[in-house]
Amino acid sequence: MNVLIVGSGGREHALAWKIKKSPLVKDVWCAPGNGGIASIARCVDIAPSDIDELVNFVKKNKVDLTVVGPEAPLVAGIVDAFEQKGLKIFGPRKDAARLEGSKVFAKEFMQKYSVPTAPCKIFDDIDEAMEFLTVAPLPLVVKADGLASGKGVFVCDKIQEARDAVDQIMGRKVFKEAGEKIIIEECLFGEEASILAVSDGKSYVILDSAQDHKRIFDDDLGPNTGGMGAYSPAPVITEEMLRKIGIQIIDPVIRGMHKSGTPFKGVLYAGLMMTDEGPRVLEFNVRFGDPETQAILPRLKTDLAEILQASCEGRLDKVKMEWDKRSCVCVVMTSGGYPGEYETGKEIKGLDAVKDDHTLVFHAGTKKKGDKVVTSGGRVLGVTSLGNDIEQAIERVYQSVEKIKFDRCFFRRDIGAKALKHLHPSPQTTVRGR
Ligand code: AMP
Ligand code: GLY
């Protein structure tokens, strides 16, 4: 079959790389892709937001399956538009994508189906929200309801920070209509983990765990980013914990969405805080994580195209998942200044010097310029290595990172370090349900 991947990041490069390995797949297209994807797939210059143009492209080029990377087109209804034309597409419909598109919807859904999450209050009036801040215990978290490119969440230690956050979202409307409602919730403490499940609406399979590193600097300091690195599996998630997450979180969500008449098909990504009281949901995403995907897919032995197709066709219960027992670590190399302002157009040198068989270099913000590859975004590359254990994966990945150079390049030096704290064997059974 022919596959189209929608998106242009490291996640989409990893998806293209894995899907291309499938014996079921002939051509892989990517819209719009990037400098790295261009060397393994055919890139076409259509924006992920241009749903009509994507539909036309798929019809004209006989694409059999479309896989959507980023959340915005899912929340905008790309799956509904494709399905109306009888085209096969992996991802949730607009109604189900509200789990990511509206944090208020997600919270109310979790309350209804007893999914563990932080207690919160929801506001659509700025004065009432400000009033609540005078009595709310600190620290607390202020969240804009809608999509805000990861910038709509404020963890506040002081009341003034919380007031500023509410003012930014509801007063100055920096996220426009995404800030018409806000959530003010209790601050949770613990280690974070990302659990991704693929569902066909009824059945689901949980992928091996991962952990992201959201802050820009080592030791989780500085502002939040799209993700500075990831590793899989996350040893904080024992086999017993993965089962618990299945029972307490994934299962009620898949059942609840089905019962509500909005079955969830696609990737359900639960961003979790592992608190002393158990796992708590911080957020849901309705797509593969970036950079978690770069660390998870090199460990997946099963044919991904087959899994995605089975999700579209409602036969996931027949799919058997197999995992490479090794550990995988992805270090994101960024343009200096990111997540603030940064320059682009810098030549990337040393890509050919990475010759280690255990290492993959996934491109994100890169483009081809003649025979050179230059930077074109904040997150530039996701250098990813497998190792017999996490220590070996860390050692390998940093050896390769050191070979790659571009002007004002920046990366964290402590990716994976947290995993070294709890070393024990990774879960080896697939948690599934229906
Ligand atoms: P979200 O987009 O809701 O996952 O939030 C982004 C980041 O904010 C999370 O990855 C956490 O680091 C942090 N965060 C969100 N909610 C909470 C919370 N209730 N307590 C502590 N940290 C949180
Ligand atoms: N790694 C965080 C995300 O994909 O949203």
Side-chain angles (χ1 to χ4, degrees):
M1 65 180 158
N2 298 325
V3 179
L4 169 70
I5 296 164
V6 177
S8 60
R11 165 184 52 205
E12 286 76 18
H13 194 176
L15 285 167
W17 167 80
K18 180 70 183 160
I19 286 171
K20 226 187 143 165
K21 287 177 176 293
S22 167
L24 302 173
V25 172
K26 198 168 133 249
D27 283 333
V28 179
W29 295 88
C30 193
N34 62 37
I37 297 175
S39 53
I40 59 165
R42 294 156 79 173
C43 292
V44 41
D45 194 16
I46 306 175
S49 56
D50 197 345
I51 295 175
D52 289 342
E53 210 36 57
L54 290 169
V55 166
N56 289 341
F57 177 84
V58 160
K59 281 193 193 156
K60 202 169 141 201
N61 292 280
K62 304 208 171 2
V63 170
D64 302 288
L65 172 67
T66 299
V67 182
V68 186
E71 62 278 13
L74 294 168
V75 171
I78 190 171
V79 172
D80 309 58
F82 270 59
E83 287 182 347
Q84 274 157 23
K85 304 271 185 223
L87 303 170
K88 196 180 287 177
I89 182 163
F90 175 79
R93 293 187 192 142
K94 191 176 179 172
D95 277 349
R98 282 182 300 169
L99 280 175
E100 178 166 0
S102 166
K103 289 190 191 288
V104 170
F105 173 83
K107 272 285 178 191
E108 289 174 342
F109 179 88
M110 285 190 270
Q111 285 160 357
K112 184 167 174 192
Y113 290 97
S114 305
V115 176
T117 184
C120 76
K121 280 199 176 290
I122 295 165
F123 296 94
D124 60 8
D125 180 279
I126 185 168
D127 296 330
E128 285 175 23
M130 289 292 190
E131 180 68 32
F132 176 68
L133 290 181
T134 61
V135 296
L138 292 163
L140 52 75
V141 185
V142 179
K143 298 183 174 184
D145 175 38
L147 293 186
S149 312
K151 297 192 181 101
V153 175
F154 301 82
V155 180
C156 309
D157 292 317
K158 302 196 181 81
I159 186 159
Q160 195 49 46
E161 288 167 7
R163 286 193 181 120
D164 285 347
V166 172
D167 182 53
Q168 269 198 57
I169 303 171
M170 296 188 108
R172 285 182 279 139
K173 300 187 189 329
V174 296
F175 306 115
K176 304 199 177 78
E177 62 273 22
E180 277 170 12
K181 290 185 188 169
I182 59 164
I183 289 174
I184 301 181
E185 75 178 32
E186 197 178 281
C187 190
L188 301 175
F189 298 93
E191 212 171 304
E192 287 184 47
S194 308
I195 298 296
L196 281 65
V198 180
S199 179
D200 60 13
K202 269 189 178 173
S203 305
Y204 62 85
V205 280
I206 300 184
L207 306 188
D208 256 8
S209 60
Q211 193 173 87
D212 188 7
H213 297 63
K214 290 208 166 74
R215 306 291 193 100
I216 182 81
F217 299 126
D218 285 12
D219 299 323
D220 295 332
L221 297 173
N224 264 331
T225 69
M228 294 297 290
Y231 59 87
S232 173
V236 66
I237 306 294
T238 58
E239 188 162 342
E240 191 191 337
M241 182 53 73
L242 199 62
R243 286 186 192 286
K244 193 166 171 178
I245 292 166
I247 294 167
Q248 295 187 352
I249 295 167
I250 306 299
D251 212 83
V253 175
I254 300 301
R255 277 176 202 272
M257 292 300 281
H258 192 260
K259 204 167 155 197
S260 310
T262 53
F264 189 94
K265 173 175 71 86
V267 172
L268 176 69
Y269 162 144
L272 304 177
M273 187 71 90
M274 308 308 296
T275 73
D276 290 343
E277 283 76 45
R280 299 283 180 274
V281 176
L282 297 175
E283 64 164 344
F284 287 120
N285 295 318
V286 298
R287 48 163 177 84
F288 283 102
D290 188 342
E292 288 92 331
T293 304
Q294 293 86 309
I296 291 174
L297 291 186
R299 299 190 49 244
L300 178 65
K301 287 188 181 168
T302 317
D303 181 344
L304 182 65
E306 169 59 14
I307 298 173
L308 304 182
Q309 213 180 18
S311 158
C312 294
E313 293 168 3
R315 49 177 183 81
L316 256 187
D317 52 338
K318 307 280 186 306
V319 171
K320 195 169 170 293
M321 305 276 277
E322 276 190 80
W323 294 95
D324 186 330
K325 290 184 188 148
R326 291 177 295 169
S327 291
C328 191
V329 176
C330 167
V331 174
V332 175
M333 301 180 76
T334 66
S335 300
Y338 171 83
E341 282 180 25
Y342 54 83
E343 292 169 13
T344 57
K346 314 281 186 194
E347 184 182 350
I348 304 171
K349 294 190 179 144
L351 288 167
D352 294 341
V354 179
K355 293 203 171 82
D356 169 11
D357 286 345
H358 309 279
T359 298
L360 297 151
V361 181
F362 295 121
H363 289 224
T366 75
K367 65 176 185 192
K368 287 224 159 120
K369 196 174 175 191
D371 55 0
K372 293 178 181 157
V373 180
V374 300
T375 65
S376 65
R379 291 194 290 173
V380 176
L381 300 168
V383 183
T384 306
S385 295
L386 285 158
N388 290 332
D389 54 28
I390 184 108
E391 275 165 306
Q392 192 182 43
I394 292 171
E395 201 183 306
R396 283 181 176 156
V397 79
Y398 280 107
Q399 273 170 9
S400 292
V401 164
E402 295 296 347
K403 293 188 172 130
I404 301 173
K405 309 270 180 234
F406 52 90
D407 186 32
R408 296 202 60 211
C409 155
F410 178 81
F411 56 88
R412 273 179 68 158
R413 294 186 180 270
D414 66 342
I415 303 299
K418 250 188 266 174
L420 299 173
K421 278 193 314 202
H422 5 221
L423 284 183
H424 51 70
S426 63
Q428 285 305 318
T429 50
T430 302
V431 179
R432 58 162 72 241
R434 83 171 283 141

